[in-house]
């Protein structure tokens, strides 16, 4: 019985691509590095802010101390501009409302730093009332695809691993689902493509948000 859905944030619930690009490029220019096209961030994002900075930097700049400096400049800017361009994908808010009405728990589980997650989610959705848990990256919790953040969300909601869909747009999310014991569901509107999701073990693929609610109904009716 599916009782909850754990959602990735960037590329799954919210199109944050341009804000991530603008903030990263702002940070890069502070240190004299070239900016990167917005589309590149489809591959840069997804594994935490430090990794995104490393991917955006040229090879000669990929040193721990430089990555940390650029990351801090990114935080300084992004903290002031968390959602200049970011919006929920079409159909996401109706989906979340439908799930809530049906008694299905929802959570955000993201590699985005917790401080930034806690700004982006209310900025895009008005508040956090559509979610029963919001879990972002903190120093004491390993990043996805390790299962720990999913465990935090499940403990907070009060559900078992096999009672959850894990919904995301990347291999990292599908790997997280497998490591946490959740049902891996890939979305086709996000930053990565169908091939990546399939290769990473997506059990189901959806092209519209409402298909997630339909999938839950199908699974639960079949039990």
């Amino acid at each position: 019985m599916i009782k909850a859905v754990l959602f990735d944030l960037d590329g799954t619930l919210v199109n944050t691509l341009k804000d991530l690009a603008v903030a990263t490029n702002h940070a890069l220019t502070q240190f004299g590095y070239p900016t990167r096209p917005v589309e590149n961030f489809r591959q840069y994002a997804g594994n935490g802010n430090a990794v995104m900075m490393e991917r955006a930097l040229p090879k000669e700049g990929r040193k721990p101390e430089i990555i940390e400096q650029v990351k801090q400049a990114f935080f300084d800017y992004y903290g002031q501009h968390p959602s200049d361009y970011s919006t929920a994908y079409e159909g996401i808010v109706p989906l979340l409302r439908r799930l809530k009405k049906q008694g299905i728990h929802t959570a955000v589980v993201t590699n985005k730093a917790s401080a930034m997650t806690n700004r982006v989610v209310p900025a895009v959705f008005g508040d956090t009332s559509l979610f029963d848990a919001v879990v972002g990256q903190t120093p004491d919790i390993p990043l996805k695809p390790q299962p720990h953040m999913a465990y935090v969300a499940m403990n907070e909601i009060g559900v078992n691993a096999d009672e959850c869909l894990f919904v995301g747009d990347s291999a990292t999310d599908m790997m997280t689902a497998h490591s946490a014991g959740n049902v891996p569901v890939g979305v086709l509107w996000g930053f990565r493509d169908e091939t990546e999701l399939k290769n990473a073990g997506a059990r189901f693929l959806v092209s519209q948000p409402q298909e997630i609610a339909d999938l839950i109904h199908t699974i639960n009716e079949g039990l």
Side-chain angles (χ1 to χ4, degrees):
M1 176 74 72
I2 299 301
K3 298 181 180 179
V5 185
L6 312 183
F7 289 97
D8 173 52
L9 182 61
D10 301 76
T12 300
L13 290 172
V14 181
N15 186 351
T16 56
L17 200 66
K18 188 172 181 178
D19 278 317
L20 292 175
V22 169
T24 302
N25 284 334
H26 175 85
L28 291 171
T29 60
Q30 303 306 298
F31 296 91
Y33 294 113
T35 59
R36 303 298 188 182
V38 173
E39 283 300 302
N40 285 27
F41 287 82
R42 292 183 180 276
Q43 297 299 321
Y44 295 166
N47 296 95
N49 301 112
V51 173
M52 185 168 67
M53 297 305 111
E54 181 179 5
R55 289 169 174 167
L57 281 162
K59 288 183 179 180
E60 66 271 16
R62 294 173 185 173
K63 301 174 182 178
E65 63 275 15
I66 295 176
I67 292 169
E68 184 60 32
Q69 290 172 340
V70 175
K71 185 180 75 171
Q72 189 56 56
F74 165 83
F75 281 154
D76 291 344
Y77 184 90
Y78 194 56
Q80 299 300 315
H81 303 271
S83 61
D84 288 359
Y85 305 100
S86 296
T87 57
Y89 286 100
E90 184 177 357
I92 286 293
V93 171
L95 167 67
L96 294 171
R97 289 174 176 162
R98 179 179 172 185
L99 294 177
K100 194 173 187 67
K101 185 176 181 179
Q102 293 175 347
I104 302 296
H105 297 289
T106 59
V108 176
V109 180
T110 175
N111 277 343
K112 185 188 291 292
S114 182
M116 300 305 167
T117 300
N118 290 333
R119 293 182 182 181
V120 170
V121 171
V124 172
F125 294 100
D127 55 31
T128 61
S129 62
L130 289 173
F131 303 101
D132 299 293
V134 177
V135 181
Q137 180 268 328
T138 58
D140 58 324
I141 305 177
L143 292 169
K144 298 182 299 183
Q146 297 299 316
H148 300 73
M149 292 202 295
Y151 292 158
V152 170
M154 288 186 284
N155 287 339
E156 190 168 333
I157 294 171
V159 292
N160 298 321
D162 60 356
E163 296 173 330
C164 300
L165 303 183
F166 197 106
V167 177
D169 69 312
S170 71
T172 296
D173 296 313
M174 300 305 96
M175 293 164 64
T176 303
H178 283 287
S179 64
N182 305 141
V183 178
V185 179
V187 305
L188 300 178
W189 58 78
F191 295 170
R192 306 294 176 81
D193 60 23
E194 181 175 350
T195 299
E196 175 174 324
L197 293 166
K198 285 182 175 178
N199 289 343
R203 191 177 306 172
F204 301 99
L205 294 171
V206 294
S207 57
Q208 299 291 333
Q210 289 298 328
E211 292 176 30
I212 296 168
D214 296 338
L215 175 61
I216 293 171
H217 177 76
T218 299
I219 291 172
N220 289 348
E221 284 296 304
L223 296 176

